[in-house]
Amino acid sequence: MTDTRLEIIPLGGLGEFGMNCMVMRFGEDIIVIDAGIMFSEVGHFGVDSMTPDFTFLERHREQVRAVILTHSHEDHIGSLSFLLKKVNVPVYGTPYTLRIVEPRLEEHHLLPATALRVVQAGETVEVGAFSIEYIRVSHSTVDCCALAITTPIGTIVHTGDFKFDATPVCGNAIDVARLRTIGQRGVLALLSDSTNVERPGQMPSERVVIPALEEIFDRARRRIFVSCFASSIHRIQIMFDLAQQFGRQVVAVGRAMERNIEIAERTGFLDTADLLVNPKDFKHFDPSEIVVLASGCQGEPMGAMARIADRSHRQAWMEAGDTVVLSARQIPGNEKAISKLINRCYRNEVEVIDSTQARIHVSGHGAQEDLRLMLEAIRPKYFIPIHGEYRQLYRHKLFACQTLGYAPDRVLLIESGDVVLLDGETAQIGDKIAVNRVYIDDTCSLELDETLLRDRKRLAYEGVVIAGVAVEETTGALLGPPEITTRGYLGVDGEEEEIAELRDVALSAVEAMPPAERVNGGKEHFQEHLRLALKRHIMRLTGQKPTIVPLVVVV
């Protein structure tokens, strides 16, 4: 690496949805743009989320100058605490974004030691060799920015998540004029969101959902339960506006919903019009006087909406004739959980309305026309699609080449771990660094290694066989027949004949070892001898590989 080249290295977010994390290095200076999570997938036993692998940053920790946040969504800030435990550097972000970050840092006991630097849209910060300008963009949450990053060899624009919404419900519209000015000044490379590249046209404004929601409020005669993402401040503002219009009070249920409403109101992005009431007062209102904003729109078992539907929530419940509005998209992988939530709601004899029945949700990511507008505003020398699975990245490249006439060699199609090298005139893909997923158990906020995950998977699919043997301390004599216990082992649980066969195998293994060796050769050696005997027998008869736990007790 020389002082005349810029490295761009995605640690996550390319070739996958989530874990957005982009590294830029020039000379001895590194900045990190966003640090997000990806939620668990099927087959990840006990895993709640995944973070990027920060080994590269740990290895070069003396060069890391700052983390630059574009906005407050979990796929952009969710792994920040895990990163800061490895590399403690200042964190830059807009006021609302940093307010959302604070409680997460506090949970990890990092808040006092973390330097949070507030940046308003339109301001520029200097970090090492980088000059970073925050530019207002529109998205499904508030206080979101693209970044114009000036380096010694040229300017890089990172869009973050965006769409062209000229009439946002909260805050100011995307700063198109500034984007065009930066484009006219000359941009070396554009890194642009690819999420909705497969959708034609332009993504509508958040205001497009108002008519359908207004109709729902108009015809509802009892309680209205609205579940959306707690980060969807535009949508939440619409609910407060409609509540005021139709003479209803608002109850916020769910920790994330309550916290985000409080932060958005404190930072000036939300006007609750004094309609927000304490959840404890839910029972005091007539059903026609209340609207409930509940988190858990993805059917999370412990989410507020699921507990309300199950009538297990302490402060809110639904009854026959109420209306439930699911005003959010279904995140891929959550379809079954959302279906279960809808079924639970129907058991209460309520009306359920989701985005398949009415236009009550709109994406915060730009469609093809938005992507075209961004490319035309920035007019970069090189274009790098980001944020999406490989098909979105590939389609974004095709879109740029076929629709806007970009030469294929001017569009770099990269994935997480690829290293892009720019020298001001040329761009090329260099060596790839190893990037893995790090698995997180949210109950204890700990990282889980691959071995632990493999063990959990084996236990789930193959079961466990426990073999207990007791021997005399001085002679090594067997004090009784081996005890065999199984859990989840197919074809054996409860079958006394097969249990007896496993007991015989264990007994033969013990008898094959001289008594003196049982105590003098070490317990670990004895246990491994017993484990291998059972493993070979089970594998020969069934082809299965259960986890075998030998327990040798010396009395």
Side-chain angles (χ1 to χ4, degrees), residues 136-384:
R136 174 79 62 211
V137 295
S138 303
H139 188 40
S140 55
T141 191
V142 294
D143 224 5
C144 306
C145 286
L147 307 172
I149 305 164
T150 301
T151 76
I153 63 165
T155 298
I156 311 296
V157 173
H158 186 298
T159 67
D161 291 349
F162 77 95
K163 69 177 181 180
F164 281 78
D165 187 346
T167 58
V169 176
C170 306
N172 297 321
I174 182 171
D175 193 345
V176 181
R178 185 57 186 161
L179 290 170
R180 287 176 177 159
T181 298
I182 290 169
Q184 291 166 2
R185 194 175 67 192
V187 172
L188 178 59
L190 168 67
L191 285 63
S192 183
D193 178 16
S194 307
T195 304
N196 277 336
V197 67
E198 296 171 308
R199 298 179 64 168
Q202 185 169 358
M203 193 57 60
S205 167
E206 185 72 21
R207 293 182 181 275
V208 76
V209 304
I210 294 177
L213 290 169
E214 189 174 37
E215 182 181 344
I216 291 168
F217 271 72
D218 185 50
R219 70 170 188 261
R221 295 293 173 261
R222 290 179 54 83
R223 301 182 190 91
I224 302 174
F225 294 86
V226 179
S227 190
C228 64
F229 292 110
S231 61
S232 298
I233 304 302
H234 301 281
R235 195 77 43 85
I236 292 169
Q237 182 65 70
I238 290 171
M239 299 308 169
F240 275 99
D241 293 343
L242 290 174
Q244 185 175 41
Q245 179 182 339
F246 289 92
R248 291 176 179 259
Q249 301 294 119
V250 179
V251 171
V253 181
R255 186 175 64 171
M257 183 67 72
E258 294 177 49
R259 182 185 63 235
N260 285 17
I261 287 175
E262 178 189 355
I263 292 172
E265 187 173 28
R266 195 187 314 156
T267 51
F269 288 100
L270 185 65
D271 180 9
T272 64
D274 295 323
L275 296 174
L276 189 64
V277 297
N278 194 304
K280 294 179 181 178
D281 295 327
F282 172 89
K283 59 186 176 184
H284 300 308
F285 286 92
D286 184 86
S288 63
E289 299 174 341
I290 202 78
V291 55
V292 177
L293 293 177
S295 55
C297 60
Q298 297 302 298
E300 300 93 324
M302 295 306 296
M305 200 65 213
R307 289 185 291 129
I308 291 171
D310 285 342
R311 301 183 66 85
S312 61
H313 197 281
R314 292 184 297 107
Q315 297 170 323
W317 57 88
M318 59 180 66
E319 296 174 330
D322 291 345
T323 301
V324 174
V325 180
L326 300 179
S327 183
R329 74 181 180 94
Q330 291 188 2
I331 294 177
N334 291 345
E335 294 86 356
K336 287 186 178 180
I338 295 171
S339 180
K340 287 181 180 179
L341 172 62
I342 293 173
N343 283 323
R344 289 169 180 168
C345 291
Y346 276 128
R347 290 184 183 278
N348 293 290
E349 301 181 47
V350 302
E351 181 183 10
V352 180
I353 303 168
D354 62 19
S355 58
T356 65
Q357 300 163 264
R359 191 163 201 173
I360 56 175
H361 174 70
V362 62
S363 176
H365 297 271
Q368 289 178 1
E369 182 64 13
D370 301 85
L371 304 183
R372 182 185 66 79
L373 290 171
M374 180 62 75
L375 277 161
E376 289 182 341
I378 300 300
R379 295 182 292 178
K381 185 172 185 178
Y382 291 98
F383 172 49
I384 304 174

Side-chain angles (χ1 to χ4, degrees), residues 59-88:
R59 196 162 58 241
H60 301 284
R61 60 162 54 88
E62 73 284 351
Q63 297 180 348
V64 182
R65 307 291 175 236
V67 178
I68 314 296
L69 301 178
T70 60
H71 67 287
S72 61
H73 277 147
E74 287 295 314
D75 60 332
H76 291 259
I77 67 167
S79 66
L80 178 62
S81 297
F82 298 96
L83 171 57
L84 292 177
K85 287 177 182 178
K86 303 175 189 300
V87 183
N88 186 7

Side-chain angles (χ1 to χ4, degrees), residues 107-156:
E107 288 174 9
H108 290 259
H109 310 291
L110 293 170
L111 187 56
T114 303
L116 298 178
R117 309 275 173 82
V118 177
V119 187
Q120 299 283 355
E123 293 182 350
T124 299
V125 296
E126 306 293 331
V127 181
F130 303 93
S131 178
I132 305 153
E133 180 182 348
Y134 272 66
I135 305 164
R136 174 79 62 211
V137 295
S138 303
H139 188 40
S140 55
T141 191
V142 294
D143 224 5
C144 306
C145 286
L147 307 172
I149 305 164
T150 301
T151 76
I153 63 165
T155 298
I156 311 296

Side-chain angles (χ1 to χ4, degrees), residues 409-428:
D409 62 348
R410 296 288 181 179
V411 183
L412 303 180
L413 197 59
I414 64 172
E415 292 186 272
S416 298
D418 286 335
V419 180
V420 177
L421 304 172
L422 300 108
D423 61 10
E425 294 297 328
T426 64
Q428 59 183 307

Side-chain angles (χ1 to χ4, degrees), residues 376-409:
E376 289 182 341
I378 300 300
R379 295 182 292 178
K381 185 172 185 178
Y382 291 98
F383 172 49
I384 304 174
I386 60 172
H387 298 177
E389 294 178 349
Y390 195 83
R391 73 180 197 187
Q392 279 86 26
L393 305 179
Y394 187 81
R395 290 286 295 273
H396 206 170
K397 175 176 181 174
L398 288 182
F399 179 76
C401 295
Q402 296 175 357
T403 306
L404 298 171
Y406 273 82
D409 62 348

